[in-house]
């Protein structure tokens, strides 16, 4: 304890000089705000590590979920025991993935994840949060059908980090902005860091990050599908945030994007002007909510 106090004193002295910024290692917490009788909801922060970026052809190597309780106003109460499992993908782990995550073939030998256990773990969840939900949800849904029936939110896309003074929205960069670091690119550690970010107040608005995220998750979005868009303009669509749907369950193959209601007219105009080059074209949009968002099914 004495050594810790001495180190904290030295850190405080360096910070007070104005010449240094100190990053403290994230220490896992089991409680943020004390329960006060407010209605508590169960959230799960989820993260996956995978063999690659394509949920159709790549496999989950690690799945972590950390449950937490929260109030309607974004306060985080208790943080519960995590689910953290490794999974042998049946193929060698790419070297670049091992370099990024530290997960090796030897670590995965004989490991597996039981979808039934996963389904039981998320049975009482009211919201799933991921820092890149457009990536994590697609892998999770393919692995376990229970994730298809839960609402999702994305702590990367749905919190305006740039407006709050951050230079980027990578998890490690956000953590550094709040003065801490963690063991990144291992799923459970990323989940705990994500919850810590959600529990904090944003530097410009003063609102809790989770409060902002909940407000966004409750608001409807509109999904626009660029059916028949010229192949030559695929990079233009990708830069705009469109993702590719290979088509299943009767849906046509198409690029798609989700936008807020106040951006719907501008997105239609972009497609008419830059993609189809037909000013009179009627472009349909489908209303979606957090149950559909970030899923190719929507």
């Amino acid at each position: 304890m004495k050594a810790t106090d001495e180190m904290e004193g030295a850190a405080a002295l360096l910070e007070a000089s104005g010449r240094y910024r100190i990053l403290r290692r994230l220490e896992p917490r089991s409680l943020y705000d004390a329960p006060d009788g407010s209605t508590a909801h169960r959230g799960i922060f989820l993260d996956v590590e995978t063999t690659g970026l394509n949920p159709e052809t790549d496999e989950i190597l690690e799945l972590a979920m950390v449950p937490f309780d929260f109030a309607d106003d974004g306060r985080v109460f208790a943080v519960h025991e995590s689910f953290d499992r490794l999974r042998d993908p049946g193929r060698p782990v790419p070297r670049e993935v091992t370099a990024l995550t530290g997960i090796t073939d030897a670590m995965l030998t004989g490991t597996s994840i039981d979808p039934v256990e996963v389904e039981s773990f998320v049975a009482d969840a009211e919201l799933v949060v991921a820092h890149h939900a457009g990536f994590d949800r697609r892998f999770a849904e393919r692995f376990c059908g229970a994730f298809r029936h839960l609402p999702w939110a994305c702590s990367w896309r749905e919190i305006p980090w740039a407006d709050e003074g951050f230079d980027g929205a990578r998890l490690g960069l956000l953590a550094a902005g709040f003065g801490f670091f963690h063991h990144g690119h291992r799923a459970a550690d990323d989940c705990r860091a994500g919850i810590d970010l959600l529990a904090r107040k944003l530097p410009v608005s003063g609102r809790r990050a989770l409060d902002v995220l909940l407000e966004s998750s409750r608001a409807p979005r509109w999904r626009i599908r660029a059916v028949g868009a010229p192949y030559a303009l695929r990079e233009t669509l990708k830069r705009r945030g469109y993702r590719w749907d290979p088509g299943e369950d009767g849906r046509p193959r198409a690029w798609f994007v989700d936008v807020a209601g106040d951006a719907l007219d501008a997105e239609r105009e972009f497609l008419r002007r830059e993609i189809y080059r037909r000013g009179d074209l009627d472009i349909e949009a489908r209303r979606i909510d957090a149950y559909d968002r970030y899923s190719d099914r929507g």
Side-chain angles (χ1 to χ4, degrees):
M1 181 65 71
K2 181 180 178 182
T4 300
D5 291 341
E6 290 177 349
M7 286 187 289
E8 279 298 322
L13 187 63
L14 289 171
E15 289 175 322
S17 73
R19 299 179 61 189
Y20 302 92
R21 296 183 64 191
I22 304 297
L23 298 183
R24 291 169 172 80
R25 185 179 64 192
L26 177 64
E27 300 294 341
R29 297 176 60 175
S30 59
L31 184 69
Y32 283 88
D33 289 292
D36 60 356
S38 301
T39 300
H41 306 277
R42 176 59 55 89
I44 286 180
F45 207 106
L46 178 146
D47 187 57
V48 297
E49 303 296 345
T50 66
T51 58
L53 302 178
N54 188 337
E56 300 298 322
T57 58
D58 287 303
E59 299 290 342
I60 291 175
L61 300 175
E62 183 178 24
L63 168 64
M65 298 179 287
V66 178
F68 63 99
D69 299 329
F70 64 91
D72 289 324
D73 62 4
R75 285 174 295 153
V76 175
F77 298 135
V79 179
H80 302 282
E81 289 297 318
S82 65
F83 176 104
D84 190 5
R85 303 285 189 275
L86 293 172
R87 176 173 178 263
D88 188 338
R91 68 180 79 163
V93 180
R95 282 184 292 181
E96 61 271 21
V97 173
T98 295
L100 183 67
T101 65
I103 299 174
T104 65
D105 291 322
M107 293 168 59
L108 299 175
T109 301
T111 61
S112 64
I113 305 174
D114 183 357
V116 175
E117 185 185 9
V118 173
E119 185 170 357
S120 176
F121 194 86
V122 303
D124 59 351
E126 298 178 55
L127 179 69
V128 180
V129 182
H131 196 62
H132 197 335
F135 175 85
D136 294 275
R137 178 167 193 173
R138 297 166 74 199
F139 276 95
E141 284 192 351
R142 179 177 168 227
F143 182 75
C144 178
F147 290 113
R148 292 171 172 258
H149 311 295
L150 292 169
W152 285 65
C154 181
S155 56
W156 173 48
R157 285 187 176 275
E158 296 187 65
I159 298 173
W161 296 109
D163 294 344
E164 297 291 341
F166 293 89
D167 293 329
R170 287 189 302 105
L171 196 59
L173 187 60
L174 296 173
F178 279 112
F180 73 89
F181 68 94
H182 73 293
H183 184 191
H185 298 297
R186 286 304 302 271
D189 294 315
D190 282 347
C191 289
R192 293 188 185 94
I195 292 172
D196 197 86
L197 290 174
L198 294 181
R200 293 176 181 256
K201 290 188 175 182
L202 298 170
V204 175
S205 67
R207 297 177 63 187
R208 289 182 178 85
L210 181 56
D211 184 31
V212 175
L213 181 62
L214 292 173
E215 180 180 73
S216 174
S217 71
R218 294 165 183 145
R221 296 287 194 279
W222 295 88
R223 177 159 294 181
I224 297 178
R225 301 175 64 82
V227 178
Y231 178 78
L233 297 177
R234 66 192 185 281
E235 293 300 326
T236 301
L237 290 166
K238 287 167 66 176
R239 286 194 297 270
R240 184 88 172 180
Y242 282 73
R243 292 190 287 132
W244 175 249
D245 178 3
E248 59 183 26
D249 299 330
R251 297 192 312 273
R253 293 156 55 91
W255 292 95
F256 71 93
V257 71
D258 298 340
V259 298
D262 59 2
L264 183 57
D265 289 342
E267 199 60 37
R268 283 172 164 154
E269 181 59 27
F270 160 77
L271 289 174
R272 293 187 186 106
R273 184 182 66 253
E274 302 293 337
I275 303 301
Y276 298 111
R277 296 171 185 174
R278 285 184 52 192
D280 60 343
L281 188 64
D282 182 27
I283 298 174
E284 295 183 359
R286 175 175 177 259
R287 189 180 188 274
I288 64 171
D289 59 22
Y291 287 90
D292 298 320
R293 209 169 299 160
Y294 308 114
S295 171
D296 291 340
R297 296 177 300 99

